[in-house]
Amino acid sequence: MTSPRKLHVKSFGCQMNVYDSFRMADTLAPEGFAETERPEDADLVILNTCHIREKATDKVYSELGYLRLLKEQAAAEGRRFTVAVAGCVAQAEGREIIRRAKTVDLVVGPQSYHRLPDLIARAEAGERVIDTEFPAEDKFDVLKSPRREATRKRGVSAFVTVQEGCDKFCTFCVVPYTRGVEVSRPVEKIFAEVARLADAGVREVTLIGQNVNAYHGEGADGRPWTLGRLLHRIAEVPGIARLRYTTSHPCDMDGSLIAAHRDLPALMPLLHLPVQSGSDRILAAMNRRHTRADYLAIIAQARATRPDIAFTSDFIVGFPGESEDDFGATLSLVDEVGYSSAYTFKFSARPGTPAADLGDQVPEDVKSERLQRLQRTIDRHYARFRARCVGRTFDVLFERKGRYPGQLAGRSPYLLPVQVMAPASMIGEIAPVTITEVSANSLFGVLAADGVGSRPRALAQAGA
Ligand code: SAM
Ligand code: SF4
């Protein structure tokens, strides 16, 4: 029997890439590829790339520098070492990669992953292959489903892609060009995938898409269903205790989705709702199609529907033409909403997007200074949010062993990591935990059943 060939997939960027990387590994498993965590041990390395900002693209080229050394070493040992570049950089810069990086044998865009076995065979036969087509067939029908043993290894929480691509054309963003038009998967195919994951021990599913709440997949009745309806259907899968979805666009937050936060106990009270800027002038220049007031109205409606809901967001600083006043409006929006946390980015001019050609680009040092100020404001809210957790009891989903013996690591409904002394047999279970302490990045607590009689520190300090 021949030993399996080794595959290393390295993911950059968003959760969609993490999901795609798993599906690539699942598709290559029947071809005799077993996953390895070390590129040094691999026969095939796939870099699953992100093109969203220039920095993300640069990382790929620096990674290729290291892979060139591994390839030279393999050649000296008489071994074959195949290098593939997948993802959005592959889609956007396929020919340029092949020209610039001689190490690369195969370039494959996100819509062609189901053709990987054939493409890799061609690359191994000596051809330098590029496949960045948007084929007519549905790749989800052809990509292999997660295998039970693979799923077990990957834990109790999983991503499931329900929607791909985007038709919004925000002026800064490459997604509509690299991932193509918005496509939604049918409801029952998603249901079947979630049921398979639940069968393999998954308890929490995050439905993902570049614009997930624009979901309009076909339901069993042959009509397009909203994300709200899809969530109701997925909540029926036995064993699935927690549901999340990301990333949403404010314009697609419809009533059925907001109501689902009230009506579905499994839907977690955390909404990632990127706003990018607090200034109406900049929102218009970004083609975001909503105003600050529209956004705040959605936040208010969601809070009225589900009072314990928390919000996270994405922000871009230094969009072309952003003045100090515009930036001030972003800071004041952060204070007004009181996010639990947020991602912040400096505007990065992406070739081919309208914003890249706008005049009045903001100097790099101004962008850096604004980024720091925004980050400090968000950190303040993040610290407050964590401090408010002390003394409260949350359901925690235990995911894995913690850093210390006897400890388990899990997640609160708000996705904050929680460390608790608990038996390993509780991995995959959800149990109430009373939070006793917070550190910079974690919460610490006791199983609520064990904690009876012990006064949480913050309450004791407050003299309550
Ligand atoms: N669909 C989501 C939305 O509508 O907000 C965002 C998806 S995008 C993959 C993730 C984040 O990357 C965006 O929310 C934005 O903050 C950031 N981003 C996208 N293009 C960028 C650019 N050119 N420069 C800086 N940040 C960018
Ligand atoms: Fe990009 Fe999101 Fe805008 Fe679509 S909605 S173009 S993915 S930022």
Side-chain angles (χ1 to χ4, degrees), residues 260-276:
H261 279 279
R262 177 194 61 216
D263 300 335
L264 284 177
L267 186 56
M268 293 293 100
L270 180 64
L271 174 56
H272 183 62
L273 197 60
V275 66
Q276 317 298 353

Side-chain angles (χ1 to χ4, degrees), residues 166 168-170 172-173 175-176 210-211 249 288:
C166 184
K168 293 279 190 295
F169 289 93
C170 300
F172 53 81
C173 184
V175 167
Q210 269 94 11
N211 202 172
H249 190 289
R288 289 293 287 181

Side-chain angles (χ1 to χ4, degrees), residues 52-53 172 210 247 274 276 288 314 345-346 348 350:
I52 205 87
R53 285 169 296 279
F172 53 81
Q210 269 94 11
T247 295
Q276 317 298 353
R288 289 293 287 181
D314 294 347
F345 307 104
K346 282 196 267 187
S348 165
R350 306 311 291 132

Side-chain angles (χ1 to χ4, degrees), residues 23 45 64 98 125 166 172 339 341 396 410:
R23 300 302 291 272
V45 173
L64 284 172
I98 288 279
C166 184
F172 53 81
Y339 295 99
S341 73
V396 170

Side-chain angles (χ1 to χ4, degrees), residues 53-72:
R53 285 169 296 279
E54 194 178 3
K55 235 188 195 165
T57 308
D58 290 346
K59 273 195 209 152
V60 176
Y61 284 103
S62 90
E63 193 72 25
L64 284 172
Y66 180 56
L67 294 182
R68 179 168 57 84
L69 299 180
L70 293 185
K71 194 167 197 153
E72 283 167 5

